[in-house]
Amino acid sequence: MTVEYFSYEGAGIQNVYQNDKWLIAIKNWRLANDVEHISRLEVHFKTDEQFILLSGSAVLLYAEHLDASSEIHVQPLEPGKVFQVPQGLWFNNVLSRDAKLVYIEAADTKAAPDNSIYQELTQTQIDAVRSKVRAAL
């Protein structure tokens, strides 16, 4: 038996560890998480998710409910702090090009058919989010 270590330097998301209970992924910048291309939020109805910023800059977008009139909040992530997204909260991340974060979630988060969905933002919401993110990053 020995200690294992995991890393990922490519663009986007790579699951680096998974067992029957947990999934740990490294998320680096990718086009879908760029301020100019953010277009949707995600929700997990049955599971939580945690984010830890390792380097660069990133924000967590979130909303308690999501419809055309919902306000999208922007929470800057701080390196070394754990940010908890509870089940039922809509969310996404915007990352700087040099950002690297880790996320942790239940191993079956994406597999459960009634747990995770995405919803597109309106153009008005996208414009407001971009403005808030630019001010925060």
Side-chain angles (χ1 to χ4, degrees), residues 1 6-7 22 24 36 38 49 52 62 64 72 84 89 97-98 100-101 104 106-107 113 122 124 128 133-134 137:
M1 190 175 292
F6 309 96
S7 64
W22 299 105
I24 301 173
E36 296 303 320
I38 201 73
E49 190 164 340
I52 304 165
Y62 68 94
E64 290 184 41
I72 312 301
Q84 160 76 9
L89 189 69
R97 286 191 176 263
D98 61 342
K100 178 182 287 295
L101 61 85
I104 304 160
T122 67
T124 300
V133 169
R134 286 185 189 111
L137 289 180

Side-chain angles (χ1 to χ4, degrees), residues 63-133:
E64 290 184 41
H65 59 86
L66 192 57
D67 59 33
S69 64
S70 297
E71 180 181 0
I72 312 301
H73 303 280
V74 174
Q75 172 65 55
L77 299 181
E78 299 174 46
K81 293 188 178 179
V82 178
F83 288 81
Q84 160 76 9
V85 175
Q87 64 187 38
L89 189 69
W90 291 89
F91 72 96
N92 204 340
N93 306 108
V94 176
L95 284 68
S96 64
R97 286 191 176 263
D98 61 342
K100 178 182 287 295
L101 61 85
V102 169
Y103 71 79
I104 304 160
E105 63 185 9
D108 64 349
T109 295
K110 301 285 191 284
D114 57 349
N115 186 39
S116 302
I117 61 171
Y118 296 92
Q119 184 168 318
E120 297 297 317
L121 299 173
T122 67
Q123 189 59 52
T124 300
Q125 289 169 323
I126 291 170
D127 293 342
V129 163
R130 286 180 181 158
S131 178
K132 290 178 183 180
V133 169

